[in-house]
Amino acid sequence: MTGGAGLTGSSGNVEVKSDSISEGSSDFDLESDGSLPFYMLDAYEEFYGPNMGTVYLFGKVKVGSSYQSCCAVVKNMQRCVYAIPDSPLFQTDEMMKLEKDAEDSRISPTDFRKKLHDAASELKNELAKKLLDLNVSAFSMAPVKRNYAFERSDIPAGENYVLKINYPFRDPPLSADLKGETFCALLGTHSSALELFLVKRKIKGPSWLSVSNFSICPAPQRVSWCKFEVIVNAPKDIRVSASTKKTVDIPQVVVTAISLKTIINEKQNVNEIVSASVVCCNKAKIDTPVKDSEWKSPGMLSHFTVVRKLVGGIFPMGFTKVAADKNSKAGSNVLSIEGRLFLDAYFGTCMLKLACLTLF
C-alpha cells in the first residue's frame, strides 16, 4: 500500500489507499475509539529466522459494506519464564506484614514492589548471569504471585511468589532442566509465541478481537496473500472484543475444496499433476449450517477444472468440443492447458482470485 492511513476523528473510518486494490480506496469500519474489529479465524507462528516469534493472525475485517480478508502481524512477542525460588524467600513474617500494609494502603505500591525486588536480589542476579551467558542483553524480571496445581513434587503447590522473566523470542531459550543455587525449577522455557499469545490474550478460538495502535503494511512489505495487512507492535494492543454493533455478525468465509489427479513421470520418478478441480463456496457460514435453499442461490458455488496436455502427447480427438458442450450444459468450466508450467501459473492465479480457505 502507498500513502499510509489517516484516522478521521470520530467518524470511525480509516482511509486505505493501495495500488493493489481495484477500488483504489476502501474504508476500515472502526470502533469509536479507533480500534479495528478483527474476526480471527486462524493463527500461525514464525518458528525460525529473523522473525522468530512473530505471530500472524488471519481473519476478516469490514471494509465498506463487505468483509475482506486481513492478516494482523503481531511483533515483539516476549518469552515468559517463571523461576521457582529454592526456598520460600517471600513467605517470611516480615513479607506477610508488608503485604498486609500494602492492602491497607499503609505503604505505597511502589515501596512494596521495591521490597519484593530487594528480597529477590540474589535470585535475580543468578538468573541475570544465566541470561547473559546466552547473550541475552535485554530482559526484565519481577516477583509475581502465581498458583501451581500440577504434579511436580519439587514445586510448591498453591499460590506462591515466583520470579517472572521476560525477554525477546529472537534470543535462545533457557534450558528446561536448568537449576541454580537460588532456584529449583524454570517453567515456560519452551512455550511457543502463539501459545503465550492465545493464553495471555484469553483467545479461545475464532472470535472478534479489538486491534488498537495498528499500522497498515505497505504492499511491497506484505508477507501474506490477504487483501489487507496490518502491523501490531505490542501484543497487548489486541484483546477479545466486547460485544458491540460492529461485532454482532459472524463474517462469512470463502471455502474451497481441491481435487488433484496425478501420474508418475517415469523418467524423473516423480508425481505430476495432470488435472485440478476446484469447488468454491463463496458464502460459507462458520457458526450455523447452510440452509438447503441457500446452496442454490446465485453466486453461492463456483467450480472449474484445469486439464493439461502431457509432454509429447495430445488431447483426445474431439476433447475441446466435448468440454465446451459440457461447460454450456452444466455451467462448469473445463479448461485445457498446453503444459505443466501453464497449468501451475493459471491454477495459482485462479486461487489468488478466490482468496479463500482451502480444503484438500
Side-chain angles (χ1 to χ4, degrees), residues 167-180:
Y167 65 98
F169 256 91
R170 64 176 178 270
D171 294 320
L174 290 162
S175 175
D177 57 359
L178 183 65
K179 296 181 180 181

Side-chain angles (χ1 to χ4, degrees), residues 26-45:
S26 300
D27 292 329
F28 279 161
D29 193 8
L30 302 182
E31 296 285 3
S32 58
D33 61 357
S35 62
L36 174 66
F38 180 98
Y39 192 85
M40 190 196 79
L41 294 164
D42 201 359
Y44 172 77
E45 172 187 351

Side-chain angles (χ1 to χ4, degrees), residues 288-303:
T288 58
V290 179
K291 298 178 181 178
D292 291 341
S293 59
E294 293 176 328
W295 286 110
K296 298 180 181 180
S297 62
M300 184 65 170
L301 293 174
S302 58
H303 52 100

Side-chain angles (χ1 to χ4, degrees), residues 141-205:
M141 301 181 186
V144 295
K145 262 190 172 181
R146 292 293 184 268
N147 270 302
Y148 184 77
F150 298 102
E151 70 282 354
R152 288 182 57 170
S153 59
D154 58 332
I155 299 176
E159 188 178 52
N160 292 282
Y161 278 104
V162 298
L163 188 67
K164 179 181 176 181
I165 309 162
N166 291 116
Y167 65 98
F169 256 91
R170 64 176 178 270
D171 294 320
L174 290 162
S175 175
D177 57 359
L178 183 65
K179 296 181 180 181
E181 295 180 2
T182 58
F183 64 96
C184 61
L186 296 178
L187 300 179
T189 58
H190 287 72
S191 295
S192 70
L194 182 56
E195 175 189 356
L196 287 172
F197 176 79
L198 294 177
V199 170
K200 288 182 176 292
R201 299 292 90 209
K202 299 180 180 180
I203 300 172
K204 301 176 182 179

Side-chain angles (χ1 to χ4, degrees), residues 243-303:
S243 180
T244 68
K245 291 181 180 179
K246 299 181 187 298
T247 59
V248 172
D249 298 329
I250 303 299
Q252 296 176 338
V253 297
V254 181
V255 181
T256 291
I258 303 174
S259 176
L260 304 176
K261 301 296 182 183
T262 63
I263 63 167
I264 295 179
N265 183 319
E266 295 181 354
K267 292 183 179 180
Q268 300 180 8
N269 195 31
V270 295
N271 286 316
E272 286 189 2
I273 298 174
V274 293
S275 72
S277 297
V278 172
V279 177
C280 179
C281 177
N282 297 291
K283 301 175 183 178
K285 298 178 181 179
I286 65 171
D287 57 335
T288 58
V290 179
K291 298 178 181 178
D292 291 341
S293 59
E294 293 176 328
W295 286 110
K296 298 180 181 180
S297 62
M300 184 65 170
L301 293 174
S302 58
H303 52 100

